[in-house]
Amino acid sequence: MLGNFTYCNPTRLYFGEDSLQFLKGELAKYGPVVQLIYGGGSIKKNGIYDQVIAILADCGKTVVEDAGVMPNPTVEKLYEGVKIARENKVDLLLAVGGGSVCDYAKAVSVSIRCEEDPWEKYYLREEEPDCEIVPVGCVLTMVGTGSEMNGGAVITNHAQKRKIGHVFGDEVFPKFTILNPLFTYTLPKYQMVAGIYDIFSHISEQYFSGEDDNTSDYVMEGLYRSLVHSSRIAFRDPENYEARSNIMWTATWALNTMVAKGKATDWMVHMLGQSVGAYTDATHGMTLAAVSLPYYRHILPYGLKKFVRFAQNVWGVSPEGKTDEAIAKEGLAAMEAWMRELGLVMKISDLGATKEMLEGIADGVFLLSGGYKQLSREDVLQILRESM
Ligand code: NZQ
Ligand code: ZN
């Protein structure tokens, strides 16, 4: 392993079909006013809302509702949440939903006592919080982002056509998260597979970097294989608890910062996907799926050894009698076949991106340097064109 690092993950997890019972003990640690944050209403339809409200009432909490967090939460919604929190002097932000709801809660948590504009400070200027942070807890209902155990908070500004993620430090991680695989059963299949691809992409963004022999790469090969295996079962049988619980746990490990340690990490698929998202407001996992193969084919010659290892260790490609290039390409072909099996969106044009948008999307792509090739704006445009 190369590099020097610090590792700390302060989020306490409660996992399994009985995990909601632990919410009561967590709530006891915080003051009386809870801002209950949720999305467009799925938790009301599937009964999770009623279960959470009953526990909050049992604990004697004053509940302040903050509903309507949209997928890809906006800066306007962030300002609204901050206003609710300030007016009610809330003690805890309880997010019940997917990555959007958890991300939003974290963005609110660092903005309540912040005297500056949070979009400008945290997203445009990428500064760290220097104010008191209100604690966040999560009850996760959609699997994919890893937001349940990390400091990420992605916010979209439609007026500026920017979707930007800030990865905050461990003081912003949720203090606790309830992970109940049963809560994910009501997810529409489109969201389930988008989340599965989001997990796959998080692993890839970290796996495809570095040349050294690194423990994290072996861990990630295991995560990849478990994910591909369980995804096939969950696709056929969405109520298969074993598969859904494995997918939920894999999502957490794919982006709870551990496997990134000692790695340069790439993240260009996310930079491309986020800019597509800023223009189309499409589902996050699908934006990643649509740009991935053109991106990986583009960088394959620069990271050939790793693509060979990926083909053999993740997809079981036999190397016999083949050149490294042929093995690597067969690995990407196996990945493509799996993506098509799940019905993932393979083109950004199928998500609403048009030819006229491509220059603007390219302008919104942050060019990072941790992967196998530092992309130029021309590379970005070429990848976007190949994703149409
Ligand atoms: O809003 P409701 O009605 O709850 O419906 C949601 C939403 O429409 C629905 N849903 C969630 N749980 C459900 C359910 N429907 C039925 N049953 C359930 N149990 O699913 C839809 C999508 O939810 P959302 O939270 O938007 O999805 P996801 O978890 O994929 O989060 C996406 C956001 O997270 C960011 C993305 O950019 C995007 O803004 N990310 C956060 C990251 C992080 N914190 O580290 C990293 C990721 O790469 C990602 O960028
Ligand atoms: Zn992602």
Side-chain angles (χ1 to χ4, degrees), residues 60 71 87 148 229 316 356:
E87 283 173 4
E148 65 273 16
H229 174 75
E356 294 67 42

Side-chain angles (χ1 to χ4, degrees), residues 149-177:
M149 204 186 193
N150 70 35
V154 184
I155 295 294
T156 298
N157 185 322
H158 287 295
Q160 294 178 12
K161 293 235 180 314
R162 286 286 184 277
K163 181 178 184 186
I164 305 178
H166 188 125
V167 180
F168 291 99
D170 54 51
E171 69 285 3
V172 183
F173 283 38
K175 300 292 176 226
F176 64 89
T177 290

